[in-house]
Amino acid sequence: MAEVIEKPRILWRPSQPEQTFMWKFIQQVNQKRGLQIKTYENLRHYSIGSQRDHFWEDVLTLHPMIYEGKYSRVVDLDARVDSVPEWFQGIRMNYAENMLYTASPGSPSQRTKQGKEDDKIATIEVSESSTSIRKFTYGQLRTRIALFSNAMRDHGVKAGDRIAAIMGNSIDTLCVCLAATTLGALHSTSSTDLGSKGILERLRQIEPIFVFFDDSYVYNGKLFKLEDKMKEVLQGLSNSKGFQALISVNRDPKHPVNISKTTKLQTLESFLQSSNDKSTELVFTRMPFSAGFLIVYSSGTTGAPKCIVHSIGGVILSGWKELHLHRNLGPSSRVQQFTNTSWIMYLASIIGLLVGASTLMYDGSPFYPQVDSFIKLTGEYQVTHLGVSPRYFSTLQSNGIVPRNIAGLDALQVCTSTGMVLPTSLLKWFYSAKGFPSHTQLVNISGGTDIAGTFLDGNPLDAIYDVGGLQCIVLGCDVHVFDSAITAEDSNETPIGREVSHGSPGDLVCIKSFPNMPPYLYADPDGSKYKKAYFSRFDNVWTQGDFLYLEPHTKAMIMLGRADGVLNPSGIRFGSAEIYTVLESYFKSEIEDSICVGQRRKGDQDENVLLFVKMHPGKHFDKNLINQIRAAIVADLSKRHVPKFIFETKEIPTTINLKKVELPIKRIVSGEKVQPSGTLANPHSLEFYYQFVESEKVAAQQGLIEPKRTNANGTSSPYNDPSSALRKHSYVKSSIECNVSSLSAASTEMPIYEIHHGISLKEYEQDQLAEAITKIHTTLFTTPSNFVHCVFHHVTNPTYMAGKKRSSNIIKANIRTGPTRTEEQYQALCKSLHEAWTRIVGDASSEEKRLRAIFVLGTITSGWESGFMIPQAGKDVQWLEENLPEMQKMAKTDSDINEMLHELQNRDEFRSVFTNSV
């Protein structure tokens, strides 16, 4: 459920917004276009409106990008998004040229060294122990890249060929990549810790001409030699079309690796030898704007990874937009991004060269030799833009590191966070006295591999609030949140999407084309993989695969997790990140990591939620901890969010980029056999989870299943145990207060998902109950639309009634708006419901009527589990259990909804439920 905060507190605000590149860009656009843009939201609406082509043209022409040729139009604004329309047809450019030079003012086809002078530091290479440090100026970098480029040309590399690098984050890796793009070739990088299987899953698809391979790497103080891995990859590519040779790159002169030189395996020195005596002048092959230059890979956790091709123009254009405008990166900036070369963030670590910044390349563990080693480099080298992950913040926090006390961090202007959902608790820590300097802007970003950029980012004009999330939607991308419950009536059709209101969770989509859409996937000749990946969820919109909602007060996007990992017990959809946030907030000292997945086996009528927790060394997993976790989830979220089972695990499966992978575990516990992907850092860890296909059996063996209690009529119910931790008075109080606070802050336009945290009335003091219900009634039912909105949300989801499964289709087609219902029919239904509501509630002047209103709403919308503010004992419960299934069967037409309400109104037994309890 989306949490609503009454008065968001500002954690950071820009001190001099008028000095930022974004502000200056606004002034240029206003002057050029005769506009009156004053705020970020003004600029964003200009960038996605009817003249969005003007915005992208402004990004191109108001920044010093190097290109030649002319374009007749920016893009076909009428083209379908899924047609992947071309942008700026007619112009040609080169990625490496734009990284190493700057366009001449007034003449974009001419290059200069302005901002990238020969003696200006371009790159600093640092190993994890800081014993090996190399600095390259822009002049030295250009010379080194020319050496690689000439050698590749001598070896027959041409436009369209693929060059792969299995290398660490080093200057030579950068030289391989940029040299390939000088020739119009495509480059691809993978990290040295990726297994042979994972490397070959990538390379066999793209069929590289040459593979550059580090012969060793150091991580956490340990040397890893790669001679055997090189031989395995070489063998695996023996039948690869066009493959010429594997080039061994020595990483440590003190520890050379002996290789058997053959025509298919040679050293970097021998490869470069042919160009040693040649001119160091760089020659660039300019390619069409939409030509590919970079291949990156999806995680591939359940199969071969997708090979995503990114275009020269798309990455350059979005790079200037994101770096220069959103993050205020310029020629005086220095970037330090922790990453390996398998991840899209490797691009983020080097693309600062585009705007004339310098970059600090770090290779190794960020916590070696001390936990604060990496952040000390930030201060030592006066880094202005640092990029890390929430896990890095968490490690600093748990080890008592106070970044703001580290010398030199006063230069840090922006810190980006990505890779996983940033908990609000870490955002607050960042701006606390134990966190980072107060002037540093924390920019939580999301987008990544699929678009080589971001959909959600920060901006230097607006404030950051304590509600968390991602500060803003980026310029030029028309991002919305679509209802994730929508499915096509015909399985062969792609459903039409529908936007949800602010505060409602759903799928992140982009409804208009943007320049950095990948032009194609490699090894996808008919485009079917591309369409399935991005356009199969909703018709004609890009679906990113993220589950989130827009916070209505600050307009921040609150990320809840990946859409394919959305949990859906009893029709209540929520993201795993919501569970992780609770654990991060309250159990940081006990739980090291966790993973939460849905389980739906063949024959299961509903989805179970399973939570696995990995304990810190020396901490114990027991029933007491389980009860504490359950109670915390109830208090912070709702009873519906509580996992069915909580188990201990010794290892969480992750990719080599340290992203936890939920989907393989979800498939395993649901009864599938999963073939581990080569991108997993610890594929062996999956074996542990197969036992949980029989989760009930494992829970019983571990003594985790509570004994069932019996109702008065002899049926079992888990809700009648007065000793349950979920029903203790302290948790009840915090739950209802949290919920009432959320409801009270709601506006009439905001959907209220449920009245949850309901507990037996006997456990409340009378005055506290009356106050709570008054607040709920006042908030929900001031207007009929609020009531109707609540009903609309819940009847479309499968829930429990009287402990029995309820089909989501019973009332779905009748009460929910959709493509088959006209606006007139919708208004008529609202009026009909309101009339029935008025007959039941009347003037709502008595507590009995208010309680009746809550019960009616709970019964219709949420069933037994949300309507259980009724004493659960005696004949009342028996009557409800006997009659509610019949009442749900009645709800087959619009008119039957009124009959059901009327039935409730006139039942003497219904009145007695509340009369006996008040």
Side-chain angles (χ1 to χ4, degrees), residues 3 420-428 467-469 558-561 575-588 594 596 611 632-633 636-637 660:
E3 181 183 0
M420 59 189 71
V421 176
L422 177 70
T424 305
S425 59
L426 282 179
L427 170 66
K428 293 178 180 178
V467 298
I558 310 297
M559 188 68 67
L560 302 177
S576 56
E578 296 178 78
I579 304 298
Y580 301 147
T581 295
V582 173
L583 300 183
E584 177 75 25
S585 298
Y586 301 113
F587 303 97
K588 183 188 292 287
S594 62
C596 191
L611 173 62
I633 292 172
D636 272 23
L637 300 172
K660 64 181 77 178

Side-chain angles (χ1 to χ4, degrees), residues 12-28 40 43 63 323-330 413-414 441 459-462:
W12 176 91
R13 70 169 78 237
S15 58
Q16 294 181 304
E18 68 282 356
Q19 297 299 315
T20 63
F21 293 122
M22 181 174 283
W23 180 268
K24 295 173 183 176
F25 178 74
I26 288 175
Q27 309 317 308
Q28 290 176 303
Y40 176 76
L43 180 61
H63 294 109
L323 300 176
H324 201 57
L325 301 182
H326 279 277
R327 291 176 225 153
N328 208 40
L329 196 75
Q413 300 169 13
V414 174
Q441 181 185 11
N459 79 75
L461 304 184
D462 293 335

Side-chain angles (χ1 to χ4, degrees), residues 7 13 27 44 92 120 194 213 312 410 425 547 555 648 653 687 722 781:
K7 294 181 179 179
R13 70 169 78 237
Q27 309 317 308
R44 191 177 76 83
R92 303 174 70 84
K120 180 181 178 180
L194 186 63
F213 213 124
I312 299 169
D410 56 325
S425 59
F547 188 62
K555 301 300 186 288
E648 182 181 14
E687 291 297 324
F781 309 130

Side-chain angles (χ1 to χ4, degrees), residues 708-729:
K708 292 184 178 180
R709 304 289 170 169
T710 306
N711 287 332
N713 65 348
T715 61
S716 63
S717 172
Y719 307 119
N720 288 335
D721 178 10
S723 65
S724 170
L726 297 183
R727 298 170 58 84
K728 292 188 184 296
H729 179 81

